[in-house]
Amino acid sequence: MELRISVTDLAFGLFITELDRPWLDTPFLLQGFLLETQQQLDDLVEYCQFVDVDLSRSNGGLQQWRHLADRYAAGWKEHDQSTLPLRGLSVSQREAQVQAERRERLNILRELRNFFSFWRRRHTKLGGNTPPSEEPIILYDDVRSVEQELPEATEIHRSAEERVEQFAASIRADLQPGTEAIHEVVDSMVDSIVRNPNALIWLTQLRQRDRYSYSHAVDSAVYLLAFGRHLGYPKEDLHNLGLAALMLDIGKLRLPDELLQREGRFTSGEFMLMKTHVQHSLDILNQLEGVHPDVFDTVARHHERHDGSGYPMKLQGEAIGLFGAMAGIVDCFTALISDRAYSSSKTVYEALQLLYKWSERYFHPALVEQFAQCIGIFHVGTLVELSCGDVGIVISQSRTRRLKPKVLLILGPDKLPHARPQVLDLMSNPTTMANIPISIRRELPHGSYGIDPSEYFQG
């Protein structure tokens, strides 16, 4: 039995299933936990006003917590309705809360840009005169559903991999690489990401994980473009981010294959050689026409780290620049979720946990938080089991409620296939026939129940 209760009524032994704000806006990364420590309780009181609890999963079961069930059985009459989250609000209240969330998000994005203002001030040297705090921030809305965008995104993704492979072949053959085709495919990726970022993100999840080299470049572009969109950058900046992402590791083509395929730890000499790929990438960029300085900066600084422990210039903090810091997070994330010669892939959730663990030391904490907000805990393409027993695939994220995505239902509670897959939007607060709210119970390992997402979304 699930109830939404005030944090003032919390007690040790209750099982927390949902918060009244996005999960990633709080110190709690896991969805669902048993309230056992004073620190957990203090954090809940600090960040939330109401939480959902599952009495049947709490210590002692429903019988021990019957008093809570009785107290809240009559609904919310004892509480001030203005403090409730989106569920149960009137249209005007909901719109007011959405606007408040947009203002809060704009403030966060301005603070990030101001922190990295040292880097953006150089625009005055390039002919610009707009202070970082006054640069436009665009809060994009999806103009297509994932289902509508996916066919075009599929062609764009395929074309991107082909163009990157052709570009790499030119570099290997010491030929002048063509830039027009690369710019065209970046423009196409930007357009798709602006319409709905989930389609291209989804395709990065469906591909085979053993094509690290070229797929890694395209994956990096997809995630960096989605990140830039999330942070409100206009299309011209997104283009520079996308081009930079495709070029981050292009310099590795100048390194010996045996080094790139090395298993185990590098020797100090091998690592020194590996680090030269950054300069090689910049040398290759110098062969291209019309490359914006932002692209050079992003490529040059994507291995710099927040505490100054990165390379090649040992930059730290704001000196890395916002685009370079973004690229560092994305490059690390896409490497973690890819199979490589020396490491098996992590799940998206595991990769996010590691990024959180490394934030403050290697990555700007607020930027890691925004990246996690961008892609969500239940990443597009994630296989999940719902509280009602159905199994499905996450196909789209809600920007404001990351624990309430759209899910394509594949199996019923009996784990038998639905006659026809159907979409369930958890933002609509669906309930079972017994009027019990439906939520995500857990993420399932890839391939569970023999489900291959590509069978449903790639024709």
Side-chain angles (χ1 to χ4, degrees), residues 231-452:
L231 295 183
Y233 280 101
K235 291 178 71 171
E236 52 267 32
D237 282 327
L238 295 183
H239 180 95
N240 293 331
L241 281 171
L243 180 59
L246 292 179
M247 299 293 113
L248 291 182
D249 288 338
I250 199 71
K252 289 182 179 178
L253 294 173
R254 303 292 195 203
L255 302 180
D257 286 342
E258 55 268 25
L259 179 67
L260 301 178
Q261 297 167 5
R262 176 83 154 83
E263 295 186 11
R265 294 178 61 86
F266 290 121
T267 65
S268 59
E270 288 171 334
F271 188 52
M272 289 293 291
L273 181 58
M274 175 61 76
K275 290 193 288 187
T276 64
H277 83 272
V278 175
Q279 185 58 52
H280 288 312
S281 294
L282 295 174
D283 292 341
I284 292 170
L285 276 177
N286 272 317
Q287 300 177 40
L288 310 183
E289 296 180 359
V291 177
H292 194 278
D294 282 353
V295 179
F296 283 92
D297 280 356
T298 305
V299 172
R301 303 178 183 196
H302 76 283
H303 278 295
E304 304 291 348
R305 294 297 177 253
H306 194 60
D307 65 349
S309 63
Y311 64 88
M313 295 177 284
K314 303 263 181 215
L315 300 176
Q316 58 182 305
E318 68 169 20
I320 298 172
L322 187 50
F323 283 6
M326 291 164 61
I329 290 171
V330 167
D331 184 60
C332 181
F333 175 79
T334 52
L336 287 169
I337 64 172
S338 298
D339 277 334
R340 291 165 289 168
Y342 51 87
S343 177
S344 59
S345 64
K346 302 282 191 286
T347 67
V348 168
Y349 176 68
E350 290 170 335
L352 283 177
Q353 281 187 309
L354 286 171
L355 287 177
Y356 269 97
K357 178 181 177 181
W358 297 331
S359 67
E360 193 71 59
R361 182 177 179 184
Y362 300 129
F363 306 110
H364 189 282
L367 211 50
V368 171
E369 176 68 24
Q370 287 303 310
F371 181 67
Q373 290 278 8
C374 171
I375 65 172
I377 288 180
F378 296 114
H379 193 274
V380 172
T382 299
L383 194 62
V384 295
E385 182 179 29
L386 302 182
S387 57
C388 58
D390 288 73
V391 172
I393 304 165
V394 174
I395 64 170
S396 182
Q397 290 281 354
S398 161
R399 183 181 60 79
T400 57
R401 302 294 297 280
R402 289 295 183 180
L403 299 181
K404 291 183 174 292
K406 284 184 180 179
V407 179
L408 183 73
L409 301 181
I410 306 298
L411 306 179
D414 55 5
K415 304 304 184 280
L416 295 176
H418 285 292
R420 181 180 180 183
Q422 53 188 305
V423 174
L424 182 68
D425 187 353
L426 295 180
M427 272 293 288
S428 66
N429 300 311
T431 60
T432 65
M433 294 293 290
N435 205 33
I436 299 174
I438 298 174
S439 60
I440 293 179
R441 177 180 293 161
R442 59 182 176 132
E443 179 180 347
L444 295 173
H446 181 73
S448 294
Y449 300 107
I451 295 176
D452 180 0

Side-chain angles (χ1 to χ4, degrees), residues 92-111 137 139 399-400:
S92 60
Q93 288 174 317
R94 182 173 302 163
E95 178 62 26
Q97 184 157 343
V98 168
Q99 292 303 319
E101 289 174 348
R102 289 173 70 89
R103 288 193 296 272
E104 181 182 5
R105 186 171 168 220
L106 281 170
N107 288 335
I108 291 172
L109 299 186
R110 287 195 182 99
E111 288 177 8
I137 295 176
L139 298 186
R399 183 181 60 79
T400 57

